[in-house]
Every structure is written in C-alpha cells, then in structure tokens.
Amino acid sequence: MGFGQKAWRNVRKDLLQELQSMPSLYKDLIYGPKRYEEFKHALNFDKTGYAKKEYWMSMPDMGYLIATYYKVIVIYLSNAQCLTLLPLMLPSELHDLELPEIAIGFVKIGNKGHFVQVNLSSGLVPIPPISSEWHKNNDETAEHLYLRYQAREEKFKQVLPSAHVAGVTKIMDLDDDSA
C-alpha cells in the first residue's frame, strides 16, 4: 500500500473495520460465522514481536478486505492459485478512475512460505481470473469493474494453461508443504 512497514497496525485496524462494517456479507464471503470470527481475531493483533500463526493474515481471503477498503485491485499469484480480487463496492466518484493495482506473490523457500510484492510491467498486462466470489457478492456499484478488466483476464487464460488458474478461494497454510 506504500505506507511503510511500520504502518502494519493501521492496516490491520482498517481491515478489521472493513470486516465489521458488513458482517453478513463477509460471513457469507469468508465461509461462514466461524471463519469470520477467526478473521476478526487474526486482525485484532497489535503487539510487537513475532505473531503466532493464529494472527497471520491469509491470502487470498484478506484480499477481499484490502481491495474493498482501499479501493484497489489485488492480484494474487502463486503456484497453487492465481486470481484477481476487485473491490466489492465502489463509490460513484471513483467509477471512472483507474484503481491502483497491487500484486502479491506467494513464494515457497524451503518449507516456509512468504508473501512478496510483485511489480507488474506498466500497461495492460494479463491478470488472473476475477474471483468467482466477487461475481457472486459484488454490489451493483462495482459491477462495471469486470468490463474494465475482462480483456486482461482473457489474455491471462491464453498465456497460462488452465491447470494453473483457479477462480475459487483457498486458505493457504504457510507451513503446509502442499500450499
């Protein structure tokens, strides 16, 4: 987001605020009440030092909160799954503006996983499919976004074999060797 590493507390606070602003939507989107409570718990961490696994932010699920709260496009890339997350709703004053794009990659080093920022080339680079959950849960104020990104999504599908493209969300366990 460009806030710097010391702003992590504010980002967590922002995402928690977003999660709690529409509980019924996010409970449906993030697999029900139990997972919703897990997200609230994970985001409600502000201690210094190492965070236990229960406080880790997971992708791509947190991507919905990031995209919607910050009004950005989140592009998630990994060997297991690639997808694009759009804001679930968008104020009318932003309808004609280009939204910033944030690309996040999941990289496996040994048996540990790390999220890294991915810098995409400028221009209309291919993007992974728009999340199927976005198609099911977006508000009419954001519906027009799909038309804006549809051609780039189609280019991505042509470049990458379908075996590497997933349109559904999956929780990625950073300690799981299969992730």
Side-chain angles (χ1 to χ4, degrees):
M1 296 300 307
F3 301 144
Q5 286 193 329
K6 295 188 181 202
W8 64 267
R9 281 186 179 95
N10 291 337
V11 170
R12 284 179 175 269
K13 189 172 118 184
D14 292 346
L15 298 182
L16 181 60
Q17 178 183 328
E18 176 63 27
L19 181 70
Q20 293 176 319
S21 71
M22 295 177 284
S24 63
L25 171 65
Y26 286 116
K27 282 179 187 174
D28 292 339
L29 183 62
I30 305 174
Y31 313 113
K34 182 178 182 225
R35 188 78 179 129
Y36 175 85
E37 293 302 323
E38 289 172 2
F39 272 55
K40 273 180 36 180
H41 178 75
L43 289 169
N44 200 14
F45 178 82
D46 66 354
K47 297 175 177 72
T48 54
Y50 179 77
K52 293 180 184 175
K53 189 174 181 177
E54 67 191 85
Y55 297 107
W56 290 0
M57 294 175 66
S58 62
M59 285 298 286
D61 290 324
M62 290 290 179
Y64 297 111
L65 300 172
I66 295 166
T68 303
Y69 185 85
Y70 292 112
K71 312 301 184 250
V72 298
I73 308 306
V74 177
I75 299 165
Y76 178 69
L77 306 166
S78 79
N79 282 339
Q81 179 179 50
C82 296
L83 59 94
T84 300
L85 303 143
L86 305 176
L88 294 167
M89 55 203 55
L90 199 63
S92 59
E93 64 269 13
L94 297 180
H95 279 209
D96 296 328
L97 299 179
E98 287 297 317
L99 299 179
E101 296 178 7
I102 297 172
I104 299 170
F106 181 77
V107 179
K108 193 102 169 149
I109 301 172
N111 57 352
K112 296 281 185 191
H114 302 275
F115 291 107
V116 295
Q117 179 179 357
V118 177
N119 295 315
L120 300 177
S121 300
S122 59
L124 300 176
V125 298
I127 59 170
I130 309 300
S131 160
S132 60
E133 291 298 326
W134 181 85
H135 286 288
K136 291 181 208 169
N137 295 289
N138 74 77
D139 185 80
E140 63 188 35
T141 62
E143 189 66 36
H144 72 285
L145 288 172
Y146 181 69
L147 295 175
R148 191 181 297 176
Y149 294 96
Q150 187 176 15
R152 291 173 63 192
E153 176 185 52
E154 289 305 317
K155 276 187 176 180
F156 185 90
K157 289 177 184 177
Q158 292 169 2
V159 172
L160 208 65
S162 62
H164 295 286
V165 178
V168 296
T169 59
K170 174 186 172 199
I171 306 302
M172 299 198 74
D173 183 347
L174 295 179
D175 288 332
D176 181 2
D177 288 335
S178 67

